[in-house]
Amino acid sequence: AFVSCRSRPAARARNRPFPANGCGEPVRRQHAQQIRAGGGTGGDLQLLRQVFDREVAWHRGCVLVDDDSRLVGAFDGPARAVQCASATVTIAARLRIAARAGVHIGEVNPAAREGLIIEQSAALAGAAAPGEVIVSRPVVDLLSGSGLEFVEHGQIDRPGTSAPALA
């Protein structure tokens, strides 16, 4: 099932250095996040890439895909993935760039540009409205008690499944 996340990014410490993120490791459980931009110019996409790269680094993730149609990051925890997605779409909205995000959990090979988890994150991002982050039910379950608030979203068709998921 999938839900929308309506949260504020966590406050940031000013002097915190960026740690190594281990993105060179082989397949491991990570939280994939996908950002999509719609209807912008080439300059908008370049600006969104800069925002995305900065936010992924800040939230200790790694960029898996960075092309004209999508930006995909992987994280070692669901809270970081959701907070990064939320911060990215919030900043994009302030810059008047229509961005949307989807977050899902699963096995991700950092060297791969495709896979079921990336496709499911893309389906979530595709179902989101501009400025919205949609996360899967397993992500919500892992984040219970984290302080993030989620709102039911409805049914979303997912790649690799025979039926839509209830949100």
Side-chain angles (χ1 to χ4, degrees), residues 4-55:
S4 296
C5 172
R6 300 191 190 282
S7 67
R8 296 182 184 186
R12 299 179 181 168
R14 293 256 181 220
N15 298 340
R16 188 175 76 187
F18 294 153
N21 57 30
C23 289
E25 295 179 16
V27 176
R28 57 189 255 203
R29 182 160 297 284
Q30 293 187 348
H31 301 78
Q33 159 202 309
Q34 184 150 155
I35 305 286
R36 290 189 164 200
T41 66
D44 288 348
L45 185 56
Q46 183 61 30
L47 186 55
L48 182 59
R49 278 189 182 121
Q50 291 172 356
V51 169
F52 180 73
D53 289 347
R54 184 188 70 221
E55 291 301 320

Side-chain angles (χ1 to χ4, degrees), residues 51-159:
V51 169
F52 180 73
D53 289 347
R54 184 188 70 221
E55 291 301 320
V56 168
W58 185 264
H59 290 91
R60 300 178 187 174
C62 66
V63 175
L64 296 181
V65 179
D66 179 0
D67 60 31
D68 289 341
S69 63
R70 63 197 178 137
L71 302 170
V72 181
F75 301 85
D76 63 358
R80 288 185 181 145
V82 172
Q83 289 170 340
C84 180
S86 180
T88 301
V89 298
T90 299
I91 293 168
R94 289 182 189 151
L95 297 170
R96 299 179 191 225
I97 300 171
R100 59 195 83 219
V103 179
H104 189 54
I105 181 174
E107 297 289 328
V108 175
N109 180 349
R113 296 177 57 85
E114 298 296 330
L116 184 59
I117 301 307
I118 293 173
E119 291 172 15
Q120 290 188 353
S121 295
L124 295 171
E132 186 175 42
V133 177
I134 297 182
V135 303
S136 63
R137 175 60 61 188
V139 172
V140 172
D141 293 343
L142 288 170
L143 290 175
S144 64
S146 69
L148 295 172
E149 295 179 16
F150 300 94
V151 178
E152 293 294 327
H153 194 275
Q155 291 187 342
I156 298 172
D157 291 324
R158 299 178 297 162

